[in-house]
Amino acid sequence: MSNLLDTPRGRRLLFTILYAAEGGPIGLIWWALPTLLRVRQVPVGKITTVLALLVLPWAFKFLWAPLVDTLRPPGWGFKAWIACSQVLMGLTLVPLICLDPAAQFETVAGLLFLHAVAAATQDVSVDALAIRVVPAAERGSINGYMQAGMLVGRSLFGGGALLLGDRLGWT
């Protein structure tokens, strides 16, 4: 199997998937979760507070982006940062399967904050990898594919989760 970074088609596919993986949970958290929490009678003030908290890692990712660029010992490149971030993203979401977001609000909020830190770190790493490996002439189109992946991921896991939950039930 060839390296996806070796061809324009491979790069488009890889960066689309990476941004979809990043956008999916964000759609669930920023779009579906507020609706789910409100339906479960969580006060609007608590919902907006947690959403504001979850935006902070994205707003301040410029603070640790230089660390991602410089903290790369031998054998630890941007791909390792991406893989590590994705593992952490998954590990922070898995416990949510067993938690009631209304009854265990603080625990859910803490896990989602850790997820947001990992997702923002993945974003920094993916962007750094794209800058490093994508030829300058392709960067505009790659960015378009990345944004499309992110929006599709958000739509499927945000609006899609609400439709599926409504159809199948939220238990």
Side-chain angles (χ1 to χ4, degrees), residues 86-100:
Q86 288 179 336
V87 167
L88 289 172
M89 288 166 63
L91 289 175
T92 59
L93 293 178
V94 168
L96 298 179
I97 296 169
C98 303
L99 298 174
D100 180 335

Side-chain angles (χ1 to χ4, degrees), residues 4-5 9-19 129:
L4 290 175
L5 295 172
R9 179 179 283 181
R11 287 188 289 270
R12 288 190 299 262
L13 176 64
L14 177 66
F15 287 110
T16 301
I17 291 170
L18 287 172
Y19 259 62
L129 179 65

Side-chain angles (χ1 to χ4, degrees), residues 8-147:
R9 179 179 283 181
R11 287 188 289 270
R12 288 190 299 262
L13 176 64
L14 177 66
F15 287 110
T16 301
I17 291 170
L18 287 172
Y19 259 62
E22 181 184 311
I26 291 170
L28 183 66
I29 294 165
W30 291 354
W31 295 357
L33 184 66
T35 303
L36 174 63
L37 291 173
R38 193 63 195 126
V39 165
R40 293 185 180 214
Q41 305 303 314
V42 174
V44 172
K46 281 180 90 171
I47 296 169
T48 56
T49 298
V50 76
L51 290 176
L53 176 71
L54 298 178
V55 172
L56 289 177
W58 295 93
F60 293 108
K61 69 182 179 178
F62 72 92
L63 294 174
W64 68 88
L67 296 175
V68 171
D69 281 336
T70 58
L71 292 179
R72 292 183 293 123
W76 185 270
F78 295 125
K79 291 178 193 177
W81 273 108
I82 293 167
C84 188
S85 296
Q86 288 179 336
V87 167
L88 289 172
M89 288 166 63
L91 289 175
T92 59
L93 293 178
V94 168
L96 298 179
I97 296 169
C98 303
L99 298 174
D100 180 335
Q104 296 158 310
F105 184 80
E106 287 76 18
T107 302
V108 169
L111 287 166
L112 292 177
F113 181 78
L114 293 173
H115 174 83
V117 170
T121 303
Q122 180 203 359
D123 183 52
V124 167
S125 306
V126 170
D127 290 348
L129 179 65
I131 290 167
R132 171 92 23 131
V133 302
V134 174
E138 273 182 57
R139 287 187 187 148
S141 66
I142 288 292
N143 191 21
Y145 281 94
M146 291 160 74
Q147 294 305 307

